[in-house]
Amino acid sequence: MFAFLGAMTAEAKVQLPQMFQNGMVLQRGKPIPVWGQADAGERVSVTFRKKVYETTADDSGRWQIMLPQQKAGGPYTLTVNDRTIEDCLVGDVWLCSGQSNIDVTIERVYPQYGKLIDDYQNPQIRMFRVQTDYDTHGPKHDVKPTPINWKPVTKDNAWLFSAVGYFLGREMFEKTGVPQGVIVNSLGGTPIQAWLSADTLQQHFPGEYHRTQFYQDDEMVRAMQRAGMLAQNRWQAIMNETDPGFIEHYDALGFDDSQWEVKKVFSMQANGRPQSVNLTNDFRYQGSFWARQYVEIDAAHAGQSCRLLVGTLYDADQTYVNGQQVGSTGYQYPPRRYTIPAGLLVKGRNALTVRFVTKGGAPHFIPEKPYMLIFDDGTEVPLSDQWRVHEGVKMQPCPGIDAGGQNLPTVLYNAMLYPLAPYALQGVVWYQGESNTGGDARNYETWLTELVTGWRQLWKQPELPFVIVQLANFMEPSDKPQDTGWSTVREAQRQVAAKLNNVELVCAIDLGEAVDIHPLRKREVAQRIALGFEHTLWNKKTLLSPQVIKAEADGRQVVLTLDQPLRTDGSLYEFEVASADGRFHNVEATAKGDRIIIQSPFENPQRVRYAWKNNPVRANAYGKTGLPMSPFTYSVSVPNR
């Protein structure tokens, strides 16, 4: 199947994909497709490494030439008729796809790995970011132009690039010593259905595809989008016009907030677990809400600029210091890192004011995040966890107008995935699932199976390696057994990796954060992805996470046999067994070499499961290489006596 692409210039007859640009990385050890569009019957000549390859465009103007497989090296020049592409490398090319945890940028994780990022640059690693696009009508001919188009790795170039993709390129370069190309093709908040082909959905889930068909009337969609935008703008305008905080200047240093309620937030509960403390008791609050505190600044730092860290909060915010706005963010996830300009801070008391805007759900600060001022000399001034809070204006819900969009089935496959084929790849990373943890989690195994097989068919590589990143731990921990969509999706990811060839699972159950759906430890995720590819492509002896190969019950004891010894012997946690009524119960478990011995409260339990919770914080089964054992559920057999 051809995926030809859009025009480069009005006068050019031979057109090439957006992927074919200076600095590109071509896949070693495989035939390399070069393709595009020309006038029907036009001769196309490709020159690479002093050899010439020719073809003729077909009646529709499509053409493709397969370069023979190459060894790693470069830089080389690739010439197609009158177009020359410079600085081409031959090495390994990885496609990283999914939703927002692939999107999380180097800028976001920089505080976690600052010196590691500051001190590194490598022209042998190139980055390509597919620009956001979607289409309800069918596959497109090309992806949109992008500002990150085969840029070499430097701190500046990588600043807004995927942290997982960046660290994966570094890891694979260290393992192989050959050039690396990392293509990131992801979009936050998107369900897996958006990345599946129409044929797949029509065959297995026709109702899903019909949702997209409804939005194929472009005139209707444009009208709905305009109406939705006008409604949002009107809602915002009414709120701003009537907010007493703007009228009475709640942000001013001299404002009298002595009658406001005082609340302790971003703190720890008595049981030691993080808890987001709502600023209002109305969990359905919509509108604006204000919070203030005072920060004491000494004479040495008065007037200096500094960084203000206001953690993470729900939902949008506008943040002020002494009456001047120093930053704003339009949605809940990004960390608030704002710059207080020189001359604004005064000696003594300074007013810090945060205006929250929520459209559903109580405004609150997120615990376990940094709340402080940081000056250039390294001095840190922590914020208090005591805030004075007051309602701004409480609004009625904004009228919702669903105009379709990027979350519809097939639309990202059409616009962001299909046009990339058949660009030669070494492997694919799939890091997605959070958006499918609701009521449709039970379908995830089918969808993920079809995604892997469908993408392999599109690339005509039936054994194309995939590494699936399993959902990390998230949300409030629980001591009791849970049945949630997060565990269902994790098990689906594990099952797909177990049943399909050349598919590996990366367990991240210990890399999450209770209070953040976007955990920061992306380097560790990338290191585990790299191990998955190493195992699949080059060394089957590379040990990955421990796996259960047998589960047997003998009376009140269940023995799990693993494919490797655990790191240490001793007590294990987060294990459960099912009673005859299907309900699960916490049990004691002990590690001994490559076995796990579970003590059941009843005879011959039928099922056992591990880490089957949103956030199984006590899970401590690790293989001898230090990789965690994946959450799982297994049937238990009873040996013949």
Side-chain angles (χ1 to χ4, degrees), residues 590-627:
T590 305
K592 188 174 182 180
D594 64 353
R595 294 185 302 158
I596 297 172
I597 298 96
I598 297 170
Q599 305 303 324
S600 171
F602 37 80
E603 296 282 332
N604 297 326
Q606 300 298 300
R607 293 197 71 81
V608 60
R609 67 188 190 187
Y610 169 68
W612 197 267
K613 297 173 181 175
N614 292 330
N615 189 2
V617 292
R618 300 185 73 201
N620 65 331
Y622 286 81
K624 63 181 183 180
T625 60
L627 295 177

Side-chain angles (χ1 to χ4, degrees), residues 6-248:
M8 290 168 34
T9 61
E11 66 272 10
K13 292 183 180 180
V14 175
Q15 301 162 8
L16 287 170
Q18 288 292 331
M19 300 294 295
F20 286 77
Q21 300 191 41
N22 292 342
M24 67 189 297
V25 181
L26 302 171
Q27 178 58 47
R28 62 170 170 156
K30 296 181 180 181
I32 300 171
V34 181
W35 76 97
Q37 190 77 3
D39 292 338
E42 183 177 358
R43 295 293 296 172
V44 178
S45 175
V46 174
T47 303
F48 186 68
R49 301 188 67 186
K50 300 181 180 180
K51 293 186 178 180
V52 179
Y53 310 86
E54 294 185 327
T55 191
T56 301
D58 65 16
D59 291 343
S60 63
R62 300 175 182 177
W63 60 269
Q64 179 175 321
I65 287 174
M66 297 295 290
L67 303 182
Q69 56 184 287
Q70 306 286 324
K71 292 182 179 180
Y76 304 118
T77 298
L78 176 72
T79 302
V80 182
N81 282 20
D82 57 353
R83 176 162 180 208
T84 298
I85 302 173
E86 305 283 359
D87 192 26
C88 301
L89 301 178
V90 177
D92 290 328
V93 181
W94 313 98
L95 174 63
C96 300
S97 196
Q99 58 179 114
S100 55
N101 269 301
I102 280 283
D103 278 346
V104 168
T105 62
I106 285 295
E107 185 274 336
R108 181 83 68 89
V109 306
Y110 178 75
Q112 188 89 3
Y113 308 105
K115 185 171 177 56
L116 195 67
I117 295 168
D118 287 339
D119 295 345
Y120 191 82
Q121 58 182 359
N122 191 335
Q124 295 287 296
I125 306 173
R126 310 286 174 83
M127 305 170 292
F128 189 99
R129 181 65 169 95
V130 176
Q131 195 75 347
T132 297
D133 194 12
Y134 68 92
D135 197 288
T136 60
H137 297 284
K140 298 184 75 169
H141 300 320
D142 198 0
V143 295
K144 287 183 173 180
T146 175
I148 305 180
N149 47 14
W150 299 120
K151 300 290 187 183
V153 161
T154 65
K155 177 183 174 181
D156 290 342
N157 287 343
W159 196 242
L160 298 180
F161 192 70
S162 159
V164 170
Y166 167 90
F167 284 117
L168 177 63
R170 289 181 58 164
E171 289 294 322
M172 300 314 293
F173 182 81
E174 291 299 318
K175 287 182 180 295
T176 66
V178 306
Q180 301 293 312
V182 182
I183 303 168
V184 171
N185 181 28
S186 56
L187 188 54
T190 54
I192 192 172
Q193 301 96 302
W195 298 95
L196 295 172
S197 71
D199 290 344
T200 294
L201 288 172
Q202 285 175 313
Q203 179 180 354
H204 298 283
F205 297 94
E208 288 286 324
Y209 179 63
H210 293 159
R211 290 202 291 126
T212 302
Q213 286 183 305
F214 179 78
Y215 292 99
Q216 289 178 344
D217 184 327
D218 293 339
E219 183 178 352
M220 177 196 76
V221 170
R222 284 192 294 269
M224 295 174 71
Q225 289 173 336
R226 175 169 170 74
M229 179 184 68
L230 292 173
Q232 294 287 337
N233 290 345
R234 185 59 184 150
W235 188 90
Q236 190 80 31
I238 293 172
M239 178 180 61
N240 291 344
E241 291 165 3
T242 58
D243 190 338
F246 284 155
I247 298 169
E248 300 176 26

